Amino acid sequence: ASNPRAHALNYVALENAERSRVTLIDELSGDSFVVKPEIVINAGGPWIDFVNARMGLRTQFIGGTKGSHLILDNPDLREAIGENEFFFENKDGRIVLIYPLEDMVMIGTSDVPIDDPEEVRCTDEEIEYFFGMVPHVFPDIALTREQIVFQFSGVRPLPTMDAANPGQISRDHSIRVSEPGSSLDFPIYSLVGGKWTSYRAFSEKVTDKTLGALNRPRMKSTRDLAVGGGKDYPKDQNARAAWIDATVTKTGLSAERGSILFERYGTRAEPIAAYLSQGEDVPLKYLPDYSQREIEFIALNERVTHLDDFFIRRTMLAKLGRLSLANIAEVAKIIGASLNWPAGRQSQEFRRTCEILKEINNVVPKGE
């Protein structure tokens, strides 16, 4: 088996488990390696039962439901909502939302039972559902499918429950413990439920339980730890202006560039600005509000493994309808050089990204 530390930044999947051993596989290289855990924490979300099955454990913990969203380029709707998020009850009793996302509008969400998270897609029926809910609040604003710039779906890892409708399934979180048995020497903690708004409380709960089982004390707490660019975030406009001024004075960037970085990354803009100032930097040809060293910093520091990581998960470019074949290729070249991709990998990643955008998000990047 190879060294697990060498796989820390790659996509690692559980292959199987037996007695005291768990075999993991690097999905990029195909290499496998073995670990001998005292406890396995299954944080597979909607895939929890699938992960347990690979360890020879039959469970039915998850009764997941799909939630989809649309992002629309509809100036009339964007102007109507201003900077406000609208929560309201749709005719079926579900609480739905209309939300400002820069100069776009995000609407959602659905609540549809789904068995296999690999099959999750935003369907035509969901689109019609979303288009039917907006007139309840804004009856005079027309929506068309041509205004959809991005669509996405996720699966809530909800517990299996008998409920009259999906909205009645508990959104609470819990730890389901599978004790050691005939084929495994270690317990499995399956993390069921939870959501972004409660992730820290859930993490604290499972950490305390794990530390207790291992007879180890808690050394640190994240209760007051700010996340990413929220750390030491300026409290008001004057403090914001002072923060930007101090950053651009220190790095030599322009005030305009400092403001763009702050709006994009919060206080995380400080190390990014420092990196930009440490070498020759130029704006991108097809995304001029981004720069070459900015892309490099993200590639090197934000665990970008595939090109689609950058466009879909590390930036808002895909969600805001800003993709073209030209800018995808331009960014691929920079990331490929930063991460030392071997020959042919850049074109593979380009094709992969375009295929994912089309199949999952119904986005076809514009050609030149």
Side-chain angles (χ1 to χ4, degrees):
S2 49
N3 182 358
R5 292 181 183 275
H7 301 263
L9 298 182
N10 291 338
Y11 287 6
V12 177
L14 188 147
E15 190 172 48
N16 57 58
E18 185 178 8
R19 302 308 317 171
S20 65
R21 298 159 61 92
V22 173
T23 301
L24 304 175
I25 185 167
D26 183 322
E27 293 186 318
L28 285 181
S29 67
D31 294 340
S32 63
F33 55 100
V34 172
V35 295
K36 294 185 175 181
E38 294 183 57
I39 296 171
V40 167
I41 299 173
N42 183 352
W47 288 272
I48 280 174
D49 294 321
F50 295 87
V51 174
N52 284 339
R54 290 195 173 191
M55 292 186 282
L57 189 67
R58 284 182 168 272
T59 60
Q60 290 185 320
F61 294 147
I62 300 298
T65 69
K66 175 179 62 168
S68 298
H69 294 79
L70 302 179
I71 298 177
L72 304 176
D73 183 6
N74 185 314
D76 292 336
L77 183 58
R78 182 65 185 84
E79 182 180 4
I81 65 175
E83 299 307 310
N84 305 297
E85 180 175 4
F86 286 73
F87 281 98
F88 58 98
E89 184 177 310
N90 202 13
K91 59 184 179 182
D92 60 356
R94 289 211 70 251
I95 301 301
V96 291
L97 62 88
I98 305 174
Y99 184 84
L101 190 69
E102 295 196 15
D103 57 347
M104 303 291 173
V105 179
M106 183 170 72
I107 61 176
T109 176
S110 52
D111 206 349
V112 182
I114 188 167
D115 294 324
D116 186 352
E118 297 291 342
E119 300 297 322
V120 64
R121 304 286 190 278
C122 181
T123 63
D124 286 342
E125 290 78 11
E126 288 173 289
I127 293 174
E128 290 303 316
Y129 177 84
F130 296 142
F131 278 22
M133 80 187 200
V134 173
H136 289 284
V137 184
F138 301 102
D140 297 327
I141 295 179
L143 306 179
T144 68
R145 289 188 176 232
E146 290 71 28
Q147 295 167 345
I148 302 173
V149 298
F150 193 82
Q151 59 194 51
F152 63 100
S153 304
V155 180
R156 306 173 184 91
L158 305 180
T160 299
M161 290 182 63
D162 290 326
N165 63 67
Q168 294 177 329
I169 301 175
S170 172
R171 265 53 175 172
D172 202 359
H173 54 254
S174 63
I175 304 169
R176 308 294 179 90
V177 179
S178 301
E179 298 291 355
S182 58
S183 61
L184 298 176
D185 296 337
F186 49 82
I188 300 171
Y189 294 174
S190 297
L191 310 188
V192 178
K195 53 196 301 185
W196 285 344
T197 49
S198 59
Y199 83 91
R200 186 169 289 188
F202 199 7
S203 299
E204 183 178 282
K205 181 177 180 178
V206 69
T207 300
D208 287 341
K209 183 175 181 64
T210 304
L211 289 173
L214 297 174
N215 294 314
R216 297 181 182 179
R218 174 181 281 278
M219 304 300 291
K220 292 184 178 181
S221 172
T222 62
R223 187 175 296 271
D224 299 315
L225 179 66
V227 177
K231 182 180 181 181
D232 300 323
Y233 195 86
K235 302 294 185 183
D236 54 39
Q237 289 297 320
N238 289 334
R240 172 186 176 279
W243 191 97
I244 294 173
D245 184 63
T247 300
V248 300
T249 298
K250 187 186 304 182
T251 61
L253 299 181
S254 68
E256 179 184 12
R257 188 75 175 122
S259 181
I260 289 174
L261 294 176
F262 178 81
E263 291 297 330
R264 192 172 284 162
Y265 306 111
T267 56
R268 179 77 167 148
E270 184 173 12
I272 296 175
Y275 182 83
L276 268 55
S277 68
Q278 291 165 6
E280 183 179 352
D281 195 23
V282 294
L284 301 192
K285 179 178 179 180
Y286 297 104
L287 290 167
D289 55 326
Y290 282 81
S291 71
Q292 179 172 328
R293 288 184 66 82
E294 183 180 356
I295 306 303
E296 290 176 5
F297 183 94
I298 295 171
L300 295 170
N301 293 277
E302 298 297 332
R303 299 195 175 194
V304 171
T305 301
H306 287 294
L307 184 61
D308 52 280
D309 290 331
F310 176 85
F311 286 108
I312 299 176
R313 287 169 285 280
R314 303 298 184 270
T315 69
M316 296 290 289
L317 290 167
K319 291 181 173 66
L320 296 176
R322 297 189 59 193
L323 298 188
S324 69
L325 296 176
N327 62 39
I328 293 175
E330 183 178 26
V331 170
K333 184 176 181 179
I334 298 170
I335 292 180
S338 301
L339 300 182
N340 297 313
W341 281 347
R345 174 77 184 275
Q346 183 178 315
S347 59
Q348 291 172 2
E349 292 291 338
F350 178 90
R351 290 194 299 272
R352 169 193 161 96
T353 297
C354 292
E355 289 169 4
I356 288 173
L357 287 166
K358 182 178 180 180
E359 180 184 350
I360 306 296
N361 308 115
N362 198 28
V363 172
V364 178
K366 304 177 185 70
E368 279 301 296

